[in-house]
Amino acid sequence: MALMTGAQYIESLRKLNTRVYMFGEKVDNWVDHPMIRPSINCVAMTYELAHDPQYEDLMTATSNITGKKINRFGHLHQSTDDLRKKVKMLRLLGQKTASCFQRCVGMDAFNSVFSTTFETDEKYGTHYHDNFVKYLTYIQENDLVVDGAMTDPKGDRGLSPSQQSDPDVFVHIVEKREDGIVVKGAKAHQTGSINSHEHLIMPTMAMKEADKAYAVSFAIPSDAEGLYMIYGRQSCDTRKLEENADVDLGNQKFGGQEALVVFDNVFIPNDRIFLCEEYEFAGMMVERFAGYHRQSYGGCKVGVGDVVIGAAALASEYNGANKASHIKDKLIEMTHLNETLYACGMACSCEGCPTKAGNYQIDLLLANVCKQNVTRFPYEIVRLAEDIAGGLMVTMPSEKDFKSDVVVGKEGETIGEICNKYFAGRADVPTEDRMRVLRFLENICLGSSAVGYRTESMHGAGSPQAQRIMIARQGNIEGKKGLVKDIAGIK
Ligand code: SF4
Ligand code: FE
């Protein structure tokens, strides 16, 4: 099958019987739901841009399995050049959507499961790698979206999976059958899960022998029997339900999506299993997936940062403050921070190396440094954007006020005329344009898109401490001590 278009992707979702719940009720037509649709539009962009000749080199690749042209989101990285192109592709999509376009978790899972299954088979003589290559071929041939799902709800953080009072807070095997396994549990904050055709499940952390029932990786269609999702709400999300909502949304068309995915005794056939109790390999899968996704943030968050910087610059222009030297300096600072993130994303890609299975892995230390910076710099970029935007970003009346023809003034002025008069900036800029850019900043700094830019920068791909553990492990302090001993003559 050829590469799908955005419209074909949206139609393909309608054929799925994915069970979605929101506000305590089942949502039947979730594809057209005004709170969900922006997140679907975002994924659709990953399909649309693949058909645009100017982005072909970034958005598509040649499959090393079939030799056919595929969407890069389904690709196994074959070189450091592929790793760099991935980062550039994510920056491009961040620029086009100002949001989380969700499809990267699948790509990052493909690359980590591919290499980990190879090494598991090498040790145990299992057939997980073959299973996975067949599965990925199916994904590539049908140009599907896959939710790479790692994060379990985790219950009491002081206890291991097998010590929890409720065993289901980590996904685990409840039954082993001749033809497959039955799993129970849930995955939390699943990016784009509802918009995915398939789910690729990985363990959430390194496991010991006692936790071997939790060392499980498998793939399953999103509408499989026993699988359902509960939508995660976002700040100001019900604005999307307002009649004719436009300006007040800030980002009218695009948004991210997170949900709780529940596995209620779901059967997984043998050929869809990629890890089953080989607990020593859980840590490898986690580390590799986290590494790839921490690289990803050096692309997607940078692209969104480009839009935030653009919005701050426009806001200053619209109110006539753009020539002030401190505004120019703040825009420079924002750019410096944003490009530093990009530099980290590119650096960990350039320093990548092949795995035993043949696909390319990023440099783990640099990828973790990349994500650690992402837990900080977007916050500073947002702080500067709010500084430049001014308080009107959070005090401005609604779009309905700006459009109201209810008379309030002694000379017959309407509410709309009064709002347009007093919230005007430069005389040659329509007040509505000023509103639009301020609402955009509100949306990205505090509203529904803050999930995808601000808080996701903190916790997505692992919270800051998770990177610090990896930085400690990879930082080679012993080697550094050796350096000083050599120079200072210490034996
Ligand atoms: Fe992709 Fe970024 Fe969203 Fe992760 S946070 S799925 S890398 S857009
Ligand atoms: Fe994320």
Side-chain angles (χ1 to χ4, degrees), residues 312-313 315-316 319 326-327 330-331 334 383-390:
S316 72
N319 65 20
H326 73 97
I327 299 283
K330 282 165 189 156
L331 292 170
M334 292 164 86
R383 190 184 74 78
L384 291 166
E386 288 189 20
D387 178 348
I388 294 173

Side-chain angles (χ1 to χ4, degrees), residues 90 99-105 191 293 296-297 300-301 456:
L90 302 197
S99 203
C100 164
F101 34 90
Q102 309 146 52
R103 204 172 168 185
C104 338
V105 280
T191 298
H293 209 52
S296 293
Y297 277 45
C300 76
K301 298 294 176 262
E456 193 173 53

Side-chain angles (χ1 to χ4, degrees), residues 75-253:
H75 188 48
L76 295 167
H77 315 298
Q78 297 300 301
S79 60
T80 53
D81 197 41
D82 270 347
L83 290 170
R84 278 196 300 274
K85 282 181 182 164
K86 171 195 159 183
V87 173
K88 289 184 180 182
M89 169 176 78
L90 302 197
R91 184 171 188 168
L92 171 71
L93 277 152
Q95 291 171 343
K96 297 287 187 192
T97 62
S99 203
C100 164
F101 34 90
Q102 309 146 52
R103 204 172 168 185
C104 338
V105 280
M107 168 178 49
D108 292 341
F110 301 150
N111 278 277
S112 27
V113 175
F114 179 79
S115 63
T116 306
T117 50
F118 184 89
E119 292 180 44
T120 315
D121 286 359
E122 199 180 52
K123 176 155 183 200
Y124 285 104
T126 40
H127 299 285
Y128 300 140
H129 193 65
D130 283 349
N131 286 352
F132 184 72
V133 171
K134 275 189 207 116
Y135 176 67
L136 186 61
T137 309
Y138 163 73
I139 297 301
Q140 289 182 350
E141 296 275 287
N142 292 283
D143 199 12
L144 301 179
V145 178
V146 178
D147 172 21
M150 178 158 280
T151 310
D152 289 293
K154 295 205 277 281
D156 183 339
R157 272 61 174 170
L159 300 175
S160 75
S162 56
Q163 292 167 337
Q164 299 286 335
S165 56
D166 182 347
D168 299 338
V169 292
F170 287 81
V171 169
H172 59 120
I173 303 161
V174 288
E175 190 189 340
K176 285 173 87 176
R177 293 172 19 182
E178 193 120 303
D179 52 348
I181 55 174
V182 178
V183 297
K184 191 165 186 218
K187 293 286 184 187
H189 2 262
Q190 283 313 300
T191 298
S193 57
I194 296 162
N195 303 339
S196 300
H197 303 100
E198 289 268 332
H199 279 61
L200 173 51
I201 308 304
M202 298 160 287
T204 204
M205 59 192 197
M207 306 269 174
K208 301 221 167 80
E209 190 173 0
D211 302 322
K212 68 178 188 186
Y214 299 82
V216 61
S217 172
F218 56 88
I220 186 87
S222 301
D223 59 354
E225 151 72 16
L227 201 67
Y228 58 92
M229 296 155 200
I230 305 172
Y231 196 80
R233 77 172 308 179
Q234 301 164 343
S235 178
C236 309
D237 51 7
T238 47
R239 281 195 196 182
K240 295 182 177 114
L241 301 177
E242 290 170 11
E243 208 183 330
N244 300 323
D246 174 14
V247 179
D248 284 353
L249 298 180
N251 188 341
Q252 288 76 12
K253 213 172 158 203

Side-chain angles (χ1 to χ4, degrees), residues 453-466:
Y453 187 59
R454 238 191 49 176
T455 312
E456 193 173 53
S457 290
M458 180 65 80
H459 293 293
S463 308
Q465 189 56 23

Side-chain angles (χ1 to χ4, degrees), residues 318-337:
Y318 289 174
N319 65 20
N322 55 314
K323 296 212 172 73
S325 62
H326 73 97
I327 299 283
K328 287 183 193 159
D329 193 55
K330 282 165 189 156
L331 292 170
I332 292 168
E333 178 64 10
M334 292 164 86
T335 305
H336 162 71
L337 291 168

